[in-house]
Amino acid sequence: MKNLNATPICGESHIDQQHEEAIRAHLPSEDAAVDAAAIFTHLSDTTRVRLLSMLAVSDMCVCEMADLLGMSQPAVSHHLRILRQCDVIRFRKWGQRTVYYLSDNEIGDMVKRLLYVVMEENKERENDGI
Amino acid sequence: MKNLNATPICGESHIDQQHEEAIRAHLPSEDAAVDAAAIFTHLSDTTRVRLLSMLAVSDMCVCEMADLLGMSQPAVSHHLRILRQCDVIRFRKWGQRTVYYLSDNEIGDMVKRLLYVVMEENKERENDGI
DNA sequence: CTAGTATATAAGCAAACGTTTATATAAGCG
DNA sequence: CGCTTATATAAACGTTTGCTTATATACTAG
């Protein structure tokens, strides 16, 4: 295959059929793009990032998370449900309590790595100025 | 430090001051959580995932992206602005055209890895049978 | 210069999201 | 058995988001 990164299509003609087809062949399916975006959506909330950061430190039950965040219990449950649905976190029952933990799968690992990278970038940005 | 993952706090008492402080010490700052969530928000849209997937294949100008996605030019520009603002993508001027490309930084790399992981997970899920 | 193309921005509207308040389920405890 | 605690779900409301239409900027061609 040609080096697609060399020149933008528009350098040749506005719509180069061959080049266009080559690019289309590399694009994710409709479903894949939707699913990928969904995962990002599930992580795209400050409260949920906080919850995941907490669970990266320690398994925890709902009321503890609510206490630590200073948020209402229903609000926390709401976000936990979203994170559960995409299998980023799981839970085990422990008496009355429901103890949540990060999933031990690719998505869970990805989230941990991501959080780490983002936090580090954030530290650098803070050090650089403001 | 103790192994925080061993037992949930609630196993000892509902709020164990020492354990709570240990966890708080590991949590991201308010700003870090907001920034991390913001990055996910910027990626949390099907159109933007598609745009990034396209740019991962080849640098491209706005009208090409609009053509390939079958979307209006303002809609594409709207999303490109969002991706620009968080430095996931950058652009160079080329005559009348504005050619966009993925940033060569940690965030850009992260996005590529993420897209790859998510697409692979998606393929597996499809193979496992809907 | 004027006309046309490529892109960016602004205003407006419908849909989606996050929180709160209120209610439901379910497990321990007396 | 009722009473309390832990959690989940539902309804409602204000905010945010993404798309469209319309307009603005900027480069090119003639």
Side-chain angles (χ1 to χ4, degrees), chain B:
Chain B
M1 202 186 79
K2 289 183 290 185
N3 176 8
L4 292 172
N5 264 313
T7 319
I9 313 175
C10 54
E12 298 154 23
S13 76
H14 190 181
I15 301 181
D16 178 305
Q17 288 293 347
Q18 273 197 318
H19 203 164
E20 181 175 327
E21 282 313 309
I23 288 173
R24 276 192 200 282
H26 283 74
L27 296 186
S29 66
E30 169 79 21
D31 286 352
V34 170
D35 288 0
I39 290 175
F40 293 127
T41 298
H42 296 142
L43 305 178
S44 69
D45 176 84
T46 304
T47 300
R48 289 197 288 276
V49 167
R50 282 217 190 85
L51 288 170
L52 291 172
S53 303
M54 293 166 66
L55 293 179
V57 176
S58 171
D59 300 359
M60 231 174 277
C61 66
V62 181
C63 61
E64 287 166 346
M65 294 187 256
D67 283 347
L68 282 163
L69 291 183
M71 290 182 64
S72 72
Q73 172 267 311
V76 171
S77 280
H78 168 70
H79 289 295
L80 290 173
R81 172 164 41 172
I82 291 167
L83 294 172
R84 242 189 300 144
Q85 283 173 340
C86 59
D87 200 30
V88 178
I89 63 174
R90 294 178 187 168
F91 65 92
R92 54 174 182 270
K93 286 291 194 174
W94 206 72
Q96 294 174 267
R97 301 240 164 76
T98 309
V99 177
Y100 281 87
Y101 56 95
L102 288 188
S103 298
D104 183 24
N105 60 16
E106 281 209 62
I107 300 279
D109 291 347
M110 187 181 78
V111 169
K112 276 191 237 177
R113 284 201 307 272
L114 265 168
L115 287 174
Y116 181 77
V117 170
V118 171
M119 301 302 165
E120 290 301 310
E121 292 243 341
N122 188 275
K123 279 182 201 163
E124 283 171 30
R125 243 174 287 144
E126 278 172 4
N127 293 342
D128 289 354
I130 308 177

Side-chain angles (χ1 to χ4, degrees), chain A residues 26-94:
Chain A
H26 283 74
L27 296 186
S29 67
E30 170 78 21
D31 286 353
V34 170
D35 287 1
I39 291 175
F40 292 128
T41 299
H42 296 143
L43 305 178
S44 69
D45 176 85
T46 305
T47 300
R48 290 198 287 275
V49 167
R50 283 218 188 84
L51 288 171
L52 290 172
S53 302
M54 293 166 65
L55 293 178
V57 176
S58 171
D59 300 359
M60 231 174 276
C61 65
V62 181
C63 61
E64 288 167 345
M65 294 188 255
D67 283 348
L68 281 163
L69 292 182
M71 289 182 67
S72 74
Q73 172 267 312
V76 170
S77 280
H78 168 70
H79 290 294
L80 290 173
R81 169 158 50 168
I82 292 168
L83 294 171
R84 242 189 299 143
Q85 283 174 340
C86 59
D87 200 31
V88 178
I89 63 174
R90 294 177 186 169
F91 66 92
R92 54 176 182 270
K93 286 292 193 173
W94 207 69

Side-chain angles (χ1 to χ4, degrees), chain A residues 5 8 10 15 19 23 25 39 49-51 63 65 76 93 98 100 104 107 112 118:
Chain A
N5 263 313
C10 52
I15 299 180
H19 203 163
I23 288 172
I39 291 175
V49 167
R50 283 218 188 84
L51 288 171
C63 61
M65 294 188 255
V76 170
K93 286 292 193 173
T98 308
Y100 280 87
D104 183 23
I107 300 280
K112 274 192 238 179
V118 172

